[in-house]
Amino acid sequence: MRISLPNHPLRHALFLILSLTFGFPAQAASDAHYVGIAQVDLGRLLSPPPSPGTSEEKSDLEAVVEASRSRSPQEAEAARADGERSVLRFADALGDGFTAGKLTFSLPFFARVGGDIHAIVGTAKVDFDRLRPYIVDTRVEALRNDAEMSPAPHHRSGSYPSGHASFAYAAAILLAAMVPEKSSEIFARAALYAHHRLVAGVHYPTDIEAGRIAGTVIANVLLHDPRFMADYARSREEIRHAVGVD
């Protein structure tokens, strides 16, 4: 069931909880760095997740059960590591030069992008109000890294759409535009980043697909905003120099 909480105090409380949980700064729609909730209303753009009890929902859940049961220790370790929402997770695709020490502008730049995505997706999570798969079925054993804290935050954070997948695909679109020479590697890394949410047992396949759509829409809005593009150009120059493709 979808709920609508325009201007309701609970919505603002949930924003604060989500922000404390995942490390992005709390912000209202008017406090967006580049793109805000008013510009990207995922509650209107995304189709609802499968309804509880339907064959689609059961299939969605069984995919999570299978992924969590069949994961290897190596996959589990990788999924835990990808619990961190940071552009540095793309170092696998961009090479050894893609490090914090060489990205003094780009790291806070992508953190600001992540904060906007977090606020936009957080609103949709409240709207769609989907329970996490491990809450629905005890066969699912969820994995979390230290950045995701205790199990409790996920009980306060809806499952649909996936915030990690939204960030992964938005970041991939921006990075691939900056470094088209490595676009295949970047998008492959984004797909794995998002897939690890299924492996970790914290998202359904439809959550991840909705995150892919959300990230794509948000990135498109960003790339058409002149104020954003000024910072994007500076980040692009820094990243291309860091990874040695100037």
Side-chain angles (χ1 to χ4, degrees), residues 153-215:
H154 285 289
H155 288 262
R156 301 191 294 258
S157 170
S159 193
Y160 186 92
S162 166
H164 282 73
S166 300
F167 176 76
Y169 283 105
I173 290 168
L174 300 178
L175 289 169
M178 293 175 175
V179 191
E181 299 90 339
K182 293 182 177 288
S183 60
S184 295
E185 295 93 332
I186 290 167
F187 280 110
R189 184 64 180 95
L192 180 61
Y193 197 161
H195 175 69
H196 278 157
R197 306 308 286 164
L198 177 66
V199 173
V202 295
H203 278 295
Y204 303 89
T206 51
D207 298 342
I208 295 166
E209 174 60 15
R212 184 186 67 81
I213 295 169

Side-chain angles (χ1 to χ4, degrees), residues 96-108:
D96 295 338
F98 197 73
T99 63
K102 294 185 177 182
L103 303 174
T104 56
F105 179 81
S106 297
L107 278 185

